[in-house]
Amino acid sequence: MRLAIIGLVLLVAGGVTVATGVLPWQEVAVLVERVAPILGFVVAMTVVTELVSEAGTFQWIARHLRRWGRGRGVLLWLLLALFAVLSTVFLSLDTTAVLLTPVVVTVARQAGLPVLPFALTTVWLANTASLLLPISNLTNLLAQHSLGGISPAQFAQLMWAPSLAAVLVPLAFIAVVFRRELRKSYAPAAARPVDTPSAATATDTSLLVLSAVVLVLLLPALVSGVAIWIPATGAAVILALMFLIRRPKVLKLTLIPWSLLLFTCGLFLVVEATQYLGASVLLGQVAGQGSGFVELLRLAMTGALGSNVVNNLPAYLVAEPLAGNPERMAALLVGVNAGPLITPWASLATLLWHDRLVRMNVLIKWKGYAVFGLIVAPLTILAAIAALAVAGPGGLFG
């Protein structure tokens, strides 16, 4: 509800800028043409992931991961971290925050392991692992369009090195800080069904298998180069028809992320107006120019600072005109994707993650979260930019 209210205020403010002529209608038309397919993809993928979760797919995977952990806490943590990375890369960071968080917390509790390192792993990887593919993050989709609509393979070729660094640094930090907790063992033989809100209804084996098949077929389609909203919409329609036959009560209007849509549309309008008034020019005084290591780091840190002060989406939108080549665009994405680890509002995924934790009676102190983030975020950005400078288009191995 709060997100919807903020979105409504932003939408009204954006409408005022259009009505008063501050933002010309022509610019609004260009904006709509750019973001409409992206928002269509976001809606379709939200429906897909929600229905796949309702079918019990995430819970099935979690049960097997607990068994594959073989009673070793560190192995279970690594398996869940891998699950979080794959979920973020192929299904987006918000999916990881919303659907994977309850599963990870429940698995840790049932194994008798401390929840905190598992919860932090989930939210940090939801942000930092969202660099590899366009579909991993809304900012990536916007960047892909700005880069001339490059293919997912070309995008991954640009981002693989900073993406790898952005995953390894948070994991290394958690492995060191929580080494005692992760060394603990558990009894895999005492495995029980993962008790999540969806688990009680995930008894339809046919629906589980069919949903998993749809998901497996969807993933390569999303990176095939076809406009991503097409396979995502097709998968959403197929899953909706399956649930209409097997479990029609699941199909509700709440499957569509109305609050997110309202917030995003309002934010796009307001940021577009600020750009038209010269906000990007002013920011350029801070972000600098050039494609050397120092200049790339400067741009990434600017994006990270903007993300933690406001939010990563407006931080990206305002700074986007400053990324004049693929290397600088990659650096900006490092800042706005891997940098929002300090404040709770830095990314929507962090807020969604915290909401899930509150519902499960897991208490996270924002002060402690910020202290950890002040250490991890700069280290992650530094490592990712170093990897970009070495393996990027203009690097030693680019």
Side-chain angles (χ1 to χ4, degrees), residues 45 59 72 99 125 196 268 294 310 328 350:
M45 280 304 296
Q59 290 73 34
R72 299 171 59 189
L99 300 180
L125 290 180
T196 64
F268 275 131
V294 174
V310 187
R328 285 184 62 81
T350 303

Side-chain angles (χ1 to χ4, degrees), residues 333-355:
L333 288 176
V334 168
V336 299
N337 288 11
L341 305 180
I342 302 170
T343 58
W345 55 80
S347 75
L348 178 61
T350 303
L351 293 174
L352 295 172
W353 165 81
H354 184 257
D355 177 68

Side-chain angles (χ1 to χ4, degrees), residues 274-301:
T274 61
Q275 284 181 314
Y276 195 75
L277 292 174
S280 297
V281 176
L282 295 176
L283 188 63
Q285 303 298 320
V286 179
Q289 300 176 352
S291 298
F293 172 76
V294 174
E295 289 80 7
L296 294 178
L297 183 62
R298 183 177 173 182
L299 177 58
M301 288 298 185

Side-chain angles (χ1 to χ4, degrees), residues 58-218:
F58 283 85
Q59 290 73 34
W60 183 88
I61 294 174
R63 285 196 295 270
H64 284 74
L65 290 180
R66 189 168 182 267
R67 190 177 72 229
W68 295 337
R70 298 180 180 179
R72 299 171 59 189
V74 65
L75 182 56
L76 178 62
W77 171 68
L78 288 173
L79 289 171
L80 288 171
L82 177 61
F83 190 13
V85 170
L86 294 176
S87 171
T88 301
V89 169
F90 292 104
L91 298 176
S92 86
L93 73 169
D94 294 336
T95 296
T96 300
V98 173
L99 300 180
L100 189 57
T101 298
V103 173
V104 168
V105 170
T106 304
V107 169
R109 281 176 169 172
Q110 291 187 342
L113 299 173
V115 171
L116 183 57
F118 291 87
L120 283 178
T121 299
T122 305
V123 70
W124 282 352
L125 290 180
N127 286 284
T128 64
S130 66
L131 284 167
L132 187 61
L133 293 176
I135 59 175
S136 307
N137 199 321
L138 180 56
T139 55
N140 297 1
L141 291 171
L142 294 168
Q144 182 189 28
H145 183 276
S146 182
L147 290 170
I150 61 175
S151 69
Q154 291 172 318
F155 191 95
Q157 186 177 8
L158 173 66
M159 300 302 300
W160 74 267
S163 179
L164 180 61
V167 167
L168 293 178
V169 171
L171 289 179
F173 180 87
I174 291 176
V176 172
V177 173
F178 295 99
R179 57 189 180 278
R180 292 182 180 178
E181 290 84 349
L182 296 176
R183 286 174 183 169
K184 295 181 179 180
S185 60
Y186 64 95
R192 294 173 294 171
V194 179
D195 183 18
T196 64
S198 298
T201 56
T203 56
D204 191 329
T205 304
S206 298
L207 192 58
L208 171 62
V209 172
L210 292 173
S211 297
V213 169
V214 171
L215 183 61
V216 169
L217 294 177
L218 173 62

